[in-house]
């Protein structure tokens, strides 16, 4: 309870500070609100570094994409080169089968065993090449290989001699031409000039080899029959011209080593014999007989064809090596750019972490220092100032900050110094407040002593006047004046109690009944006529506690009178509760909320300082101070037995006072053992 119950029934409202502004957030807050972790230093450093890092990564990504394209082109070119070499192996064997088939159809049955072996090699190479084409998706080669689907039927007709010579040789010529054209169509995708020249040289050499093979097959049949049939010389001349044209193209794009390899192929004895056979064939252009052995021509032309194939193999190896070099270079560049991107990302992340750590760690340490200042150092320093003498309080300083903060960044060092200045200023203000509080307390105590002296003189004067006055009306007025002076003395005593001063000695000798204590308390309140002692079990208290206990009860009764409406009584009950004696001051006013009851009980337990509380609560602090001196427990509750809420106010408040056994006379303990609580007391409820 307080000095005014009406004041305590007001519901406290949470007020916004002067710096509060309502409304939508500003544009900057809206913008930064979309950024993740913008509220932290680590997040801001990461975002600031992320922008240039992302730009660098984009540039690196473009370079990586370009290198990846080069790598893919180089790898695909290598595959195309190898596919072309395998196709040339198939063409080589088809050329051999072409020549042997021409001889067989010309009447040379001795070629059958060699033709059978050649066919097996053609089938094996064809099957392997078909698997590679299916795996690597080369449409041109796939279409060219499709033309060989009729090869088994052609062979069967050759074996039973049901096909004419021109149809059979035309099939082989067409199949080999399509394979060579597929090699040109499936050229390299890489833009390297050396690789392009190598593939052109390989293509030209393939054309020359094909022309020589066609010439070999044609002339093999001619030499078997011993003369040119109609139109065969034209075919011979055309094949030789195609070979010479392809070799000239080869000379233009081949390297020096590749030209030397071709020269070695044409410097052999077999090449010389092929040239001699060709000169002999020129003499039979008119259809005259040709005196030449077909086997010698086949052997010499086959050797030259093999020489060209060997040169073709060397060129193919050069092209494949160049493709491998390009692929390896593209792989290294791609790996380098990927590593560069990872390095940029790693450096950016490292710098972000380092920068955030270099900023956040000192700030974290500074935060811990600030928390230590607010939670431990500053309260301890203020407590030391409050406990020290006024002269010493002005010279107390806060502890120095952590030296580690002085080694941080300049901004952090300045912030730490500013925090220490704030702490020093707070300590200085605390010292000033302590001095002011002590001066104020001493002033209140001095004022209380003065009032007490004046009130005592006033009471003595009033008592003297009362003893001399015979007029009843005047005597009644003197009694009222005496009552007012008594209340003034209680207020002066309250000032001394709040300031921690001892009251002037007023000793009640012997013991006093509890009813006398209650009546003494009632005599010190204003509207004493509304207070009634309903029931009180007999109890005696020590005289040394009489005046302070009477003062405590007077404060509680005054509060109950203030909270109760005019015309309603304040009831006082007393009963034994085990070894303790309990008193209850009951009012029927507006009551209090649960929150107000908790705050009131905290003040009654001495858990708050009267220097920071509103003046209307001073009565609680007076009661709490006296209760602490006497060892008395005081608690306020709702008058109803069940707890109520703010919505059920109006039932009043009861103040319960529990007197410890050491304040009671031993004779009172024996009375408590024989006494039983009367019905009105039991209705109020015992203290728990």
């Amino acid at each position: 309870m307080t000095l005014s119950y009406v004041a305590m029934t007001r519901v406290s409202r949470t007020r916004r500070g002067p710096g509060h502004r309502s409304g939508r957030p500003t544009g900057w807050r809206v913008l930064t609100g979309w950024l993740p972790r913008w509220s932290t230093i680590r997040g801001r450093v990461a975002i600031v570094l992320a922008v240039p890092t992302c730009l660098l990564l984009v540039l690196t990504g473009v370079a990586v994409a370009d290198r990846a394209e080069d790598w893919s082109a180089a790898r695909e070119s290598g595959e195309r080169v190898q596919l072309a070499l395998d196709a040339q192996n198939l063409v080589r064997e088809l050329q051999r089968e072409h020549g042997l088939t021409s001889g067989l159809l010309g009447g040379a049955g001795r070629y059958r065993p060699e033709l059978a072996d050649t066919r097996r090699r053609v089938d094996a190479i064809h099957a392997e090449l078909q698997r590679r084409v299916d795996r690597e998706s080369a449409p041109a080669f796939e279409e060219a290989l499709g033309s060989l689907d009729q090869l088994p039927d052609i062979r069967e007709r050759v074996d039973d001699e049901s096909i004419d010579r021109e149809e059979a040789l035309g099939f082989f010529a067409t199949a080999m031409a399509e394979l060579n054209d597929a090699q040109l169509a499936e050229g390299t995708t890489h833009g390297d000039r050396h690789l392009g020249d190598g593939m052109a040289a390989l293509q030209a050499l393939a054309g020359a080899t094909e022309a020589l093979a066609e010439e070999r097959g044609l002339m093999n049949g001619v030499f078997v029959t011993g003369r040119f049939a109609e139109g065969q010389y034209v075919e011979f001349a055309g094949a030789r011209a195609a070979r010479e044209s392809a070799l000239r193209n080869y000379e233009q794009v081949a390297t020096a080593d590749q030209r030397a390899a071709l020269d070695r192929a044409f410097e052999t004895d077999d090449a010389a014999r092929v040239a001699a056979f060709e000169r002999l064939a020129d003499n039979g252009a008119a259809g005259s007989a040709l005196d030449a052995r077909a086997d010698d021509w086949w052997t010499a032309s086959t050797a030259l064809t093999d020489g060209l194939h060997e040169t073709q193999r060397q060129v193919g190896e050069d092209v494949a090596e160049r493709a491998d070099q390009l692929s390896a270079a593209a792989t290294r560049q791609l790996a380098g750019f990927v590593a560069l991107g990872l390095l940029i990302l790693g450096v950016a992340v490292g710098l972000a972490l380092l920068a955030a750590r270099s900023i956040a760690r000192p700030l974290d340490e500074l935060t811990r220092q600030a928390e230590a200042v607010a939670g431990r150092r500053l309260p301890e320093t203020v407590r030391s100032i409050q406990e020290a003498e006024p002269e010493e309080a002005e010279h107390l300083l806060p502890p120095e900050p952590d030296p580690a903060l002085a080694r941080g960044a300049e901004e952090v060092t300045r912030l730490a110094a500013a925090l220490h200045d704030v702490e020093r200023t707070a300590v200085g203000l605390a010292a000033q407040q302590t001095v002011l509080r002590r001066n104020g307390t001493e002033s209140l105590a001095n004022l209380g002593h003065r009032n007490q002296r004046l009130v005592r003189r006033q009471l003595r004067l009033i008592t003297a006047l009362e003893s001399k006055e015979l007029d009843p009306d005047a005597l009644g007025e003197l009694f009222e004046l005496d009552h007012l002076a008594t209340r003034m003395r209680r207020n002066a005593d309250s000032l001394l109690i709040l300031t921690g001063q001892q009251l002037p000695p007023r000793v009640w000798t012997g013991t006093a009944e509890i009813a006398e204590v209650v009546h003494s308390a009632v005599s010190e309140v204003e509207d004493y006529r509304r207070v009634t002692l309903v029931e009180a079990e007999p109890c005696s208290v020590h005289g040394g506690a009489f005046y302070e206990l009477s003062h405590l009860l007077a404060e509680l009764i005054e509060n109950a009178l203030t909270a109760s409406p005019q015309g309603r009584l304040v009831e006082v009950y007393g009963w034994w509760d085990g070894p303790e004696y309990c008193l209850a001051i009951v009012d029927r006013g507006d009551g209090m909320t649960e929150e107000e009851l908790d705050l009131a009980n905290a003040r009654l337990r001495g858990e708050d300082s009267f220097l920071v509380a509103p003046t209307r609560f001073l009565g609680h602090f007076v009661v709490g101070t006296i209760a602490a001196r006497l060892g008395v427990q005081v608690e306020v509750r709702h008058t109803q037995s069940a707890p109520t809420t703010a919505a059920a106010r109006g039932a009043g408040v009861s103040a319960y006072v529990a007197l410890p056994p050491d304040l009671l006379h031993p004779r009172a303990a024996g009375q408590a053992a024989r006494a039983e609580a009367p019905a009105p007391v039991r209705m109020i409820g015992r203290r728990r």
Side-chain angles (χ1 to χ4, degrees):
M1 292 187 298
T2 65
L3 292 177
S4 173
Y5 269 121
V6 176
M8 287 197 65
T9 57
R10 299 174 182 173
V11 179
S12 61
R13 294 179 175 87
T14 304
R15 298 181 179 178
R16 295 175 176 175
H20 177 82
R21 291 185 300 176
S22 60
R24 297 182 178 179
T26 62
W28 173 251
R29 291 184 178 272
V30 171
L31 176 62
T32 58
W34 290 98
L35 298 178
R37 299 182 60 80
W38 181 260
S39 60
T40 64
I41 291 180
R42 291 184 177 90
R44 297 188 181 189
V45 171
I47 291 173
V48 169
L49 290 179
V51 175
T53 302
C54 289
L55 294 178
L56 288 176
L57 289 178
V58 168
L59 295 177
T60 306
V62 172
V64 168
D66 185 62
R67 294 301 92 192
E69 184 177 354
D70 289 346
W71 174 82
S72 178
R75 183 179 62 85
E76 186 176 353
S77 297
E79 294 175 354
R80 292 293 184 266
V81 168
Q82 189 60 46
L83 198 59
L85 294 177
D86 293 342
Q88 286 304 311
N89 289 334
L90 178 59
V91 169
R92 177 183 178 182
E93 295 300 327
L94 285 173
Q95 290 169 351
R96 184 180 293 274
E97 184 177 356
H98 174 214
L100 292 172
T101 300
S102 177
L104 181 63
L105 293 176
R110 61 183 178 274
Y111 290 143
R112 286 188 180 276
E114 186 177 356
L115 180 60
D117 293 338
T118 302
R119 287 176 176 177
R120 283 192 293 270
R121 289 194 299 272
V122 168
D123 292 339
I125 297 174
H126 177 231
E128 179 62 26
L129 183 60
Q130 185 66 56
R131 285 193 293 270
R132 288 200 57 188
V133 167
D134 294 340
R135 185 170 61 250
E136 298 177 9
S137 181
F141 279 107
E142 185 176 357
E143 184 178 355
L145 291 176
S147 64
L148 295 177
D149 293 341
Q150 300 178 5
L151 182 60
D153 182 61
I154 296 296
R155 287 173 177 174
E156 183 178 354
R157 295 173 62 189
V158 168
D159 292 340
D160 58 16
E161 299 181 357
S162 62
I163 187 173
D164 58 21
R165 187 168 175 272
E166 288 75 13
E167 182 181 357
L169 298 183
F171 169 79
F172 283 104
T174 302
M176 290 184 290
E178 289 184 359
L179 285 173
N180 287 328
D181 292 341
Q183 175 182 330
L184 183 62
E186 294 288 347
T188 62
T189 58
H190 202 281
D192 182 69
R193 183 178 64 84
H194 297 292
L195 183 61
D197 290 345
M199 289 298 294
L202 189 63
Q203 181 68 24
L205 196 56
T209 305
E210 171 60 23
L212 179 59
E214 183 179 354
E215 180 185 352
R216 179 184 60 176
L218 174 65
M219 295 307 296
N220 191 37
V222 170
F223 287 134
V224 168
T225 58
R227 68 183 63 248
F228 281 109
E230 184 180 358
Q232 286 185 334
Y233 181 78
V234 177
E235 294 180 13
F236 162 70
R240 184 171 57 180
R243 183 189 68 191
E244 296 298 331
S245 176
L247 291 177
R248 285 193 296 270
N249 292 335
Y250 175 82
E251 292 288 339
Q252 293 176 0
V253 295
T255 64
D257 292 339
Q258 292 170 353
R259 288 193 295 270
L262 181 63
D263 292 340
R264 286 193 298 271
F266 278 95
E267 291 173 355
T268 62
D269 295 338
D270 292 325
R273 285 195 294 270
V274 168
F277 276 108
E278 290 177 344
R279 288 192 296 271
L280 178 62
D282 288 334
N283 295 330
S288 58
L290 297 175
D291 186 12
R293 296 179 69 249
D295 291 342
D296 294 339
W297 162 256
W298 178 260
T299 301
S301 60
T302 299
L304 180 57
T305 302
D306 291 341
L308 292 181
H309 275 295
E310 180 62 24
T311 303
Q312 191 176 11
R313 185 190 62 80
Q314 294 179 12
V315 174
E317 289 179 353
D318 293 341
V319 174
E321 182 180 0
R322 180 61 181 173
D324 291 340
Q325 291 175 355
L326 293 175
S327 179
T331 301
R332 288 192 299 270
Q333 292 176 358
L334 178 61
F337 277 104
V338 171
L340 178 61
L342 294 176
L343 179 62
I344 292 175
L345 183 60
V347 170
V349 172
L351 289 177
L353 293 177
L354 181 62
R357 183 178 181 184
S358 63
I359 297 175
R361 289 189 64 181
L363 290 181
D364 289 341
E365 180 62 28
L366 192 61
T367 301
R368 287 192 291 271
Q369 292 286 337
E371 292 174 350
V373 168
R376 178 178 53 83
R377 287 168 49 182
L378 189 58
E380 290 179 355
T381 304
V382 172
R383 191 180 304 111
S384 301
I385 291 174
Q386 292 175 347
E387 295 175 354
E389 295 297 328
E391 296 79 7
E392 299 176 356
E394 297 179 354
H395 301 288
L396 289 177
L397 296 176
E400 292 296 326
D402 190 351
L405 295 176
R407 297 191 293 269
E410 180 181 356
E411 292 81 359
V412 176
T413 304
R414 292 170 57 188
L415 183 58
L419 177 63
H420 186 59
D421 291 340
V422 171
E423 184 181 6
R424 186 164 49 246
T425 302
V427 170
L429 291 175
Q432 295 178 6
Q433 291 296 323
T434 300
V435 173
L436 291 176
R437 287 183 179 183
R438 290 186 177 180
N439 292 339
T441 302
E442 292 176 357
S443 299
L444 289 177
N446 187 20
L447 181 61
H449 284 298
R450 291 184 180 182
N451 287 340
Q452 276 191 331
R453 287 194 293 270
L454 292 176
V455 169
R456 283 198 298 270
R457 292 176 56 186
Q458 185 179 12
L459 287 173
R460 285 196 297 270
L461 179 59
I462 293 174
T463 301
L465 291 175
E466 288 176 346
S467 62
K468 298 177 182 179
E469 184 61 51
L470 298 178
D471 184 7
D473 294 334
L475 188 60
E477 293 177 354
L478 289 176
F479 285 158
E480 289 293 333
L481 185 62
D482 182 271
H483 183 244
L484 291 175
T486 302
R487 291 176 56 208
M488 293 175 59
R489 182 180 63 184
R490 179 169 63 84
N491 291 335
D493 290 345
S494 296
L495 283 178
L496 294 178
I497 291 172
L498 290 175
T499 57
Q501 301 290 321
Q502 292 293 332
L503 296 178
R506 286 189 294 160
V507 180
W508 183 284
T509 59
T511 61
E513 293 298 325
I514 194 65
E516 294 177 310
V517 178
V518 173
H519 291 154
S520 175
V522 172
S523 66
E524 296 185 357
V525 299
E526 179 179 4
D527 201 0
Y528 57 88
R529 296 178 181 84
R530 292 170 49 208
V531 182
T532 176
L533 179 60
V534 180
E535 292 287 347
E537 295 182 358
C539 177
S540 300
V541 298
H542 290 292
F546 180 86
Y547 288 108
E548 287 187 322
L549 184 57
S550 174
H551 194 142
L552 182 148
L553 295 177
E555 292 289 345
L556 294 176
I557 293 172
E558 185 76 41
N559 291 344
L561 289 171
T562 305
S564 299
Q566 291 292 331
R568 290 189 182 181
L569 297 178
V570 172
E571 302 171 348
V572 180
Y573 298 87
W575 71 94
W576 284 96
D577 188 3
E580 296 180 342
Y581 190 83
C582 296
L583 291 167
I585 296 95
V586 182
D587 69 67
R588 305 293 177 179
D590 293 334
M592 302 168 66
T593 64
E594 293 290 344
E595 182 180 1
E596 291 170 341
L597 284 177
D598 294 338
L599 293 175
N601 286 319
R603 290 188 288 268
L604 293 173
R605 290 190 298 267
E607 297 177 0
D608 202 353
S609 173
F610 79 95
L611 296 176
V612 296
T615 55
R616 63 180 182 271
F617 299 139
L618 292 180
H620 283 173
F621 294 104
V622 173
V623 172
T625 303
I626 298 176
R629 290 181 182 179
L630 300 179
V632 175
Q633 294 185 9
V634 182
E635 182 180 2
V636 290
R637 307 177 194 168
H638 295 289
T639 297
Q640 294 180 350
S641 58
T644 61
T645 62
R649 296 170 57 175
V653 174
S654 298
Y656 294 90
V657 181
L659 306 181
D662 55 355
L663 292 183
L664 307 177
H665 193 270
R667 181 182 59 184
Q671 296 174 352
R674 298 189 300 270
E676 293 183 0
V681 177
R682 288 196 298 270
M683 290 175 62
I684 296 176
R686 293 184 177 273
R687 174 181 175 273
R688 291 177 289 178

